[in-house]
Short mmCIF file of all heavy atoms in Angstrom, two decimals:
data_model
loop_
_atom_site.label_atom_id
_atom_site.label_comp_id
_atom_site.label_asym_id
_atom_site.label_seq_id
_atom_site.Cartn_x
_atom_site.Cartn_y
_atom_site.Cartn_z
N ASP F 1 0.83 -1.21 0.00
CA ASP F 1 0.00 0.00 0.00
C ASP F 1 0.86 1.26 0.00
O ASP F 1 0.51 2.27 -0.62
CB ASP F 1 -0.96 0.01 1.19
CG ASP F 1 -2.17 -0.88 0.97
OD1 ASP F 1 -2.42 -1.27 -0.19
OD2 ASP F 1 -2.87 -1.17 1.95
N THR F 2 2.01 1.22 0.68
CA THR F 2 2.93 2.36 0.66
C THR F 2 3.41 2.62 -0.76
O THR F 2 3.44 3.76 -1.23
CB THR F 2 4.12 2.13 1.60
OG1 THR F 2 3.62 1.97 2.93
CG2 THR F 2 5.09 3.29 1.57
N LYS F 3 3.77 1.56 -1.49
CA LYS F 3 4.19 1.72 -2.89
C LYS F 3 3.06 2.27 -3.74
O LYS F 3 3.30 3.13 -4.60
CB LYS F 3 4.67 0.38 -3.44
CG LYS F 3 5.99 -0.08 -2.87
CD LYS F 3 6.38 -1.44 -3.41
CE LYS F 3 7.63 -1.95 -2.74
NZ LYS F 3 7.99 -3.31 -3.18
N ARG F 4 1.84 1.79 -3.52
CA ARG F 4 0.69 2.31 -4.28
C ARG F 4 0.49 3.80 -4.01
O ARG F 4 0.23 4.57 -4.93
CB ARG F 4 -0.57 1.54 -3.90
CG ARG F 4 -0.61 0.12 -4.39
CD ARG F 4 -1.91 -0.58 -3.99
NE ARG F 4 -1.86 -1.96 -4.38
CZ ARG F 4 -1.75 -2.99 -3.53
NH1 ARG F 4 -1.73 -2.77 -2.22
NH2 ARG F 4 -1.70 -4.22 -3.98
N LEU F 5 0.61 4.18 -2.75
CA LEU F 5 0.43 5.59 -2.39
C LEU F 5 1.53 6.45 -2.99
O LEU F 5 1.26 7.52 -3.54
CB LEU F 5 0.39 5.75 -0.87
CG LEU F 5 0.17 7.16 -0.34
CD1 LEU F 5 -1.14 7.75 -0.85
CD2 LEU F 5 0.20 7.18 1.17
N PHE F 6 2.78 6.00 -2.93
CA PHE F 6 3.89 6.75 -3.53
C PHE F 6 3.70 6.89 -5.04
O PHE F 6 3.93 7.97 -5.60
CB PHE F 6 5.23 6.06 -3.26
CG PHE F 6 5.76 6.25 -1.86
CD1 PHE F 6 5.08 6.99 -0.91
CD2 PHE F 6 6.95 5.67 -1.48
CE1 PHE F 6 5.57 7.16 0.38
CE2 PHE F 6 7.45 5.83 -0.20
CZ PHE F 6 6.76 6.57 0.73
N ARG F 7 3.27 5.81 -5.70
CA ARG F 7 3.03 5.88 -7.16
C ARG F 7 1.96 6.92 -7.48
O ARG F 7 2.12 7.73 -8.40
CB ARG F 7 2.60 4.51 -7.68
CG ARG F 7 3.59 3.84 -8.58
CD ARG F 7 3.07 2.61 -9.30
NE ARG F 7 2.15 1.77 -8.60
CZ ARG F 7 2.48 0.72 -7.85
NH1 ARG F 7 3.74 0.39 -7.70
NH2 ARG F 7 1.55 0.00 -7.26
N ALA F 8 0.87 6.89 -6.72
CA ALA F 8 -0.22 7.85 -6.96
C ALA F 8 0.26 9.28 -6.69
O ALA F 8 -0.06 10.19 -7.47
CB ALA F 8 -1.41 7.51 -6.07
N LEU F 9 1.05 9.46 -5.65
CA LEU F 9 1.55 10.80 -5.32
C LEU F 9 2.55 11.27 -6.38
O LEU F 9 2.52 12.44 -6.79
CB LEU F 9 2.18 10.79 -3.93
CG LEU F 9 2.45 12.14 -3.27
CD1 LEU F 9 1.23 13.03 -3.26
CD2 LEU F 9 2.95 11.92 -1.84
N ASP F 10 3.41 10.38 -6.84
CA ASP F 10 4.35 10.74 -7.91
C ASP F 10 3.60 11.18 -9.17
O ASP F 10 3.95 12.20 -9.79
CB ASP F 10 5.27 9.56 -8.26
CG ASP F 10 6.32 9.28 -7.20
OD1 ASP F 10 6.60 10.18 -6.37
OD2 ASP F 10 6.87 8.16 -7.20
N GLU F 11 2.56 10.43 -9.55
CA GLU F 11 1.78 10.79 -10.73
C GLU F 11 1.10 12.15 -10.55
O GLU F 11 1.08 12.97 -11.47
CB GLU F 11 0.74 9.71 -11.02
CG GLU F 11 1.31 8.41 -11.52
CD GLU F 11 0.27 7.30 -11.61
OE1 GLU F 11 -0.94 7.57 -11.41
OE2 GLU F 11 0.67 6.15 -11.87
N GLY F 12 0.53 12.37 -9.38
CA GLY F 12 -0.16 13.63 -9.11
C GLY F 12 0.78 14.82 -9.11
O GLY F 12 0.46 15.87 -9.67
N LEU F 13 1.94 14.67 -8.48
CA LEU F 13 2.90 15.78 -8.45
C LEU F 13 3.51 16.03 -9.83
O LEU F 13 3.73 17.17 -10.23
CB LEU F 13 3.99 15.51 -7.41
CG LEU F 13 3.53 15.65 -5.96
CD1 LEU F 13 4.59 15.12 -5.00
CD2 LEU F 13 3.20 17.10 -5.63
N GLU F 14 3.79 14.94 -10.55
CA GLU F 14 4.34 15.09 -11.90
C GLU F 14 3.36 15.84 -12.81
O GLU F 14 3.76 16.68 -13.61
CB GLU F 14 4.65 13.71 -12.49
CG GLU F 14 5.33 13.76 -13.84
CD GLU F 14 5.64 12.36 -14.35
OE1 GLU F 14 6.40 11.65 -13.68
OE2 GLU F 14 5.10 12.00 -15.43
N ALA F 15 2.07 15.55 -12.67
CA ALA F 15 1.05 16.24 -13.46
C ALA F 15 1.00 17.73 -13.14
O ALA F 15 0.57 18.53 -13.97
CB ALA F 15 -0.32 15.60 -13.22
N ARG F 16 1.47 18.11 -11.96
CA ARG F 16 1.50 19.53 -11.56
C ARG F 16 2.85 20.17 -11.82
O ARG F 16 3.09 21.29 -11.41
CB ARG F 16 1.13 19.65 -10.08
CG ARG F 16 -0.34 19.43 -9.84
CD ARG F 16 -0.67 19.38 -8.37
NE ARG F 16 -2.10 19.38 -8.13
CZ ARG F 16 -2.93 18.40 -8.41
NH1 ARG F 16 -2.47 17.30 -8.96
NH2 ARG F 16 -4.22 18.49 -8.16
N GLY F 17 3.77 19.43 -12.44
CA GLY F 17 5.06 20.01 -12.84
C GLY F 17 6.20 19.80 -11.85
O GLY F 17 7.25 20.41 -12.00
N TYR F 18 6.01 18.94 -10.86
CA TYR F 18 7.08 18.66 -9.89
C TYR F 18 7.84 17.41 -10.31
O TYR F 18 7.29 16.51 -10.94
CB TYR F 18 6.49 18.49 -8.49
CG TYR F 18 5.84 19.75 -7.98
CD1 TYR F 18 4.49 19.99 -8.20
CD2 TYR F 18 6.58 20.71 -7.31
CE1 TYR F 18 3.89 21.15 -7.76
CE2 TYR F 18 5.99 21.88 -6.86
CZ TYR F 18 4.65 22.09 -7.10
OH TYR F 18 4.06 23.25 -6.66
N THR F 19 9.13 17.37 -9.95
CA THR F 19 10.00 16.27 -10.36
C THR F 19 10.61 15.61 -9.13
O THR F 19 11.09 16.29 -8.22
CB THR F 19 11.14 16.81 -11.25
OG1 THR F 19 10.57 17.57 -12.32
CG2 THR F 19 11.97 15.69 -11.82
N LEU F 20 10.65 14.28 -9.16
CA LEU F 20 11.33 13.51 -8.12
C LEU F 20 12.83 13.68 -8.32
O LEU F 20 13.32 13.55 -9.43
CB LEU F 20 10.94 12.03 -8.23
CG LEU F 20 11.48 11.08 -7.17
CD1 LEU F 20 10.92 11.44 -5.80
CD2 LEU F 20 11.10 9.65 -7.52
N SER F 21 13.56 14.01 -7.24
CA SER F 21 14.98 14.33 -7.38
C SER F 21 15.78 13.81 -6.18
O SER F 21 15.25 13.69 -5.08
CB SER F 21 15.14 15.86 -7.47
OG SER F 21 16.49 16.23 -7.40
N GLU F 22 17.06 13.52 -6.42
CA GLU F 22 17.96 13.13 -5.33
C GLU F 22 18.39 14.34 -4.50
O GLU F 22 18.81 14.20 -3.36
CB GLU F 22 19.19 12.41 -5.89
CG GLU F 22 18.88 11.04 -6.46
CD GLU F 22 18.33 10.08 -5.43
OE1 GLU F 22 18.83 10.05 -4.28
OE2 GLU F 22 17.35 9.37 -5.75
N THR F 23 18.31 15.52 -5.08
CA THR F 23 18.61 16.77 -4.35
C THR F 23 17.36 17.66 -4.41
O THR F 23 17.30 18.62 -5.18
CB THR F 23 19.82 17.50 -4.98
OG1 THR F 23 19.54 17.73 -6.37
CG2 THR F 23 21.09 16.68 -4.83
N PRO F 24 16.36 17.32 -3.59
CA PRO F 24 15.05 17.98 -3.72
C PRO F 24 15.00 19.35 -3.04
O PRO F 24 15.78 19.66 -2.15
CB PRO F 24 14.12 17.00 -3.00
CG PRO F 24 14.99 16.40 -1.95
CD PRO F 24 16.35 16.27 -2.58
N ASP F 25 14.01 20.12 -3.49
CA ASP F 25 13.69 21.38 -2.83
C ASP F 25 12.92 21.14 -1.53
O ASP F 25 13.01 21.93 -0.60
CB ASP F 25 12.83 22.26 -3.74
CG ASP F 25 13.56 22.66 -5.02
OD1 ASP F 25 14.79 22.81 -4.98
OD2 ASP F 25 12.88 22.81 -6.06
N PHE F 26 12.16 20.04 -1.49
CA PHE F 26 11.42 19.69 -0.27
C PHE F 26 11.27 18.18 -0.16
O PHE F 26 11.39 17.45 -1.14
CB PHE F 26 10.07 20.39 -0.20
CG PHE F 26 9.06 19.97 -1.24
CD1 PHE F 26 8.14 18.96 -0.97
CD2 PHE F 26 9.00 20.60 -2.47
CE1 PHE F 26 7.20 18.59 -1.91
CE2 PHE F 26 8.06 20.24 -3.42
CZ PHE F 26 7.16 19.23 -3.14
N PHE F 27 11.04 17.74 1.08
CA PHE F 27 10.82 16.33 1.36
C PHE F 27 9.36 16.10 1.74
O PHE F 27 8.69 17.01 2.24
CB PHE F 27 11.72 15.87 2.52
CG PHE F 27 13.15 15.72 2.15
CD1 PHE F 27 14.04 16.76 2.33
CD2 PHE F 27 13.63 14.52 1.62
CE1 PHE F 27 15.36 16.64 2.00
CE2 PHE F 27 14.96 14.39 1.29
CZ PHE F 27 15.83 15.44 1.47
N ILE F 28 8.91 14.87 1.53
CA ILE F 28 7.54 14.50 1.88
C ILE F 28 7.59 13.43 2.97
O ILE F 28 8.34 12.46 2.86
CB ILE F 28 6.79 13.95 0.65
CG1 ILE F 28 6.71 15.03 -0.43
CG2 ILE F 28 5.40 13.47 1.05
CD1 ILE F 28 6.11 14.55 -1.73
N ASP F 29 6.80 13.64 4.01
CA ASP F 29 6.63 12.65 5.07
C ASP F 29 5.17 12.24 5.09
O ASP F 29 4.29 13.09 4.92
CB ASP F 29 7.05 13.23 6.42
CG ASP F 29 7.18 12.17 7.49
OD1 ASP F 29 7.22 10.96 7.16
OD2 ASP F 29 7.22 12.53 8.68
N ILE F 30 4.92 10.96 5.28
CA ILE F 30 3.56 10.43 5.27
C ILE F 30 3.37 9.56 6.51
O ILE F 30 4.19 8.70 6.80
CB ILE F 30 3.28 9.61 4.00
CG1 ILE F 30 3.40 10.49 2.77
CG2 ILE F 30 1.90 8.96 4.08
CD1 ILE F 30 3.33 9.75 1.46
N LYS F 31 2.27 9.79 7.21
CA LYS F 31 1.89 8.99 8.36
C LYS F 31 0.43 8.63 8.21
O LYS F 31 -0.34 9.42 7.65
CB LYS F 31 2.07 9.76 9.66
CG LYS F 31 3.46 10.27 9.93
CD LYS F 31 3.46 11.15 11.18
CE LYS F 31 4.72 11.95 11.25
NZ LYS F 31 4.56 13.35 10.99
N SER F 32 0.05 7.47 8.72
CA SER F 32 -1.37 7.13 8.69
C SER F 32 -1.75 6.32 9.91
O SER F 32 -0.90 5.70 10.55
CB SER F 32 -1.73 6.36 7.41
OG SER F 32 -1.26 5.04 7.49
N VAL F 33 -3.03 6.34 10.20
CA VAL F 33 -3.56 5.59 11.33
C VAL F 33 -4.95 5.09 10.94
O VAL F 33 -5.70 5.76 10.24
CB VAL F 33 -3.60 6.45 12.61
CG1 VAL F 33 -4.56 7.60 12.48
CG2 VAL F 33 -3.93 5.60 13.81
N GLU F 34 -5.25 3.89 11.38
CA GLU F 34 -6.55 3.28 11.15
C GLU F 34 -7.42 3.54 12.37
O GLU F 34 -6.92 3.51 13.50
CB GLU F 34 -6.31 1.78 10.98
CG GLU F 34 -7.42 0.98 10.41
CD GLU F 34 -7.00 -0.46 10.23
OE1 GLU F 34 -6.13 -0.73 9.38
OE2 GLU F 34 -7.52 -1.30 10.97
#
């Protein structure tokens, strides 16, 4: 599910013009609870 969420987030950010990078402008942290 983490991989599915990352894939969906990558697609969404890429559609908005953001690029996944080794030297990023910002980092993303994700937490969840049931």
